[in-house]
Amino acid sequence: MTTGYVLVNLLGCVLVITSTLVVLSRKLRTAAFMYALQSLVLVSMFVALAFTTGSVQLFTWAATAFVTKVLLVPGIILHTIKKLGPDADVELKTKLSPIACVILVVLELIICYLAVMNIALPTAAEVHPALAISLAHFFIGLTCIVSQRNIVKQVFGYCLMENGSHVTLALLAPTAPHLVETGIATDAVFAVVIMVIIAMKIHRVNGTLDAHNLMDLKG
């Protein structure tokens, strides 16, 4: 295994650590900064993979991801927190304890690693650990959505899932046209905008961001 692929796999390990910190963060503002850090690691993976594979497209992917994921998405969330006021950052008891979340993430990683070991594609041969981590991000994002009661915090679950799909595409198709990556990044930004608008509407009508208080239908 070349040094470049070793670095990609190591950055993948850092990626899953920062993703777990996003899930475990109690404050929205902290989660936003953790997501920005996680996205910066993702950008670093793109750059490392670009140097290793000689893919010029991945340098463009890295630049686009930096603007959309490191700057735009956290900026949108932070602006939403400011608009919502103190209610946005109220700590809500999570549905799963931090220890349970960590154990769940570890199990998800193990299952995904066992799954990717059977993948024999040439592009995946040297990045099995990073590929397993990228696939596990779908389940880590789902864990974030299920375990959190703050509906804005649940948006980060979608963002983690999207980051995972982004890394998977880069690992399996590093020479894919830039238009593909642009479409993924643009969809993510618009999806986040729509979700935070809905969250603000829910807060304005119901006076809460607690998903637990939105379980009962009112006639």
Side-chain angles (χ1 to χ4, degrees):
M1 184 182 294
T2 64
T3 304
Y5 285 122
V6 171
L7 179 59
V8 170
N9 288 323
L10 288 175
L11 286 171
C13 295
V14 178
L15 191 73
V16 77
I17 292 172
T18 51
S19 298
T20 305
L21 290 176
V22 172
V23 178
L24 297 179
S25 298
R26 292 184 175 273
K27 294 282 190 177
L28 270 179
R29 194 177 302 276
T30 304
F33 286 117
M34 286 297 103
Y35 175 76
L37 178 60
Q38 193 247 12
S39 297
L40 191 59
V41 176
L42 179 142
V43 170
S44 301
M45 287 185 71
F46 286 166
V47 173
L49 198 59
F51 277 114
T52 304
T53 62
S55 172
V56 178
Q57 292 90 333
L58 282 176
F59 286 111
T60 312
W61 285 38
T64 305
F66 181 82
V67 173
T68 56
K69 298 174 182 297
V70 179
L71 300 179
L72 275 181
V73 171
I76 292 169
I77 298 295
L78 290 172
H79 177 71
T80 302
I81 295 171
K82 183 178 179 181
K83 293 282 288 185
L84 291 174
D87 287 348
D89 239 2
V90 172
E91 288 191 22
L92 299 173
K93 184 178 180 181
T94 57
K95 299 176 185 178
L96 295 175
S97 68
I99 294 177
C101 285
V102 171
I103 292 174
L104 195 54
V105 168
V106 172
L107 290 175
E108 290 162 352
L109 286 170
I110 293 172
I111 292 171
C112 288
Y113 184 77
L114 293 175
V116 302
M117 288 303 292
N118 296 320
I119 298 178
L121 293 174
T123 52
E126 298 197 74
V127 288
H128 276 140
L131 184 59
I133 287 168
S134 69
L135 293 177
H137 269 70
F138 176 85
F139 300 102
I140 295 172
L142 195 59
T143 299
C144 183
I145 294 172
V146 171
S147 66
Q148 302 300 317
R149 288 170 55 181
N150 188 312
I151 56 178
V152 178
K153 180 69 181 294
Q154 291 175 348
V155 174
F156 287 111
Y158 164 81
C159 293
L160 294 178
M161 294 166 74
E162 193 275 334
N163 275 4
S165 65
H166 215 158
V167 175
T168 302
L169 179 61
L171 293 172
L172 297 180
T175 57
H178 174 60
L179 186 61
V180 175
E181 191 276 341
T182 302
I184 295 174
T186 304
D187 285 350
V189 172
F190 278 109
V192 170
V193 169
I194 292 170
M195 285 187 283
V196 297
I197 289 174
I198 293 173
M200 292 174 70
K201 175 69 174 178
I202 291 173
H203 180 265
R204 184 163 60 249
V205 173
N206 297 285
T208 183
L209 290 173
D210 189 349
H212 185 73
N213 294 338
L214 305 175
M215 300 295 288
D216 297 328
L217 294 176
K218 295 182 179 180

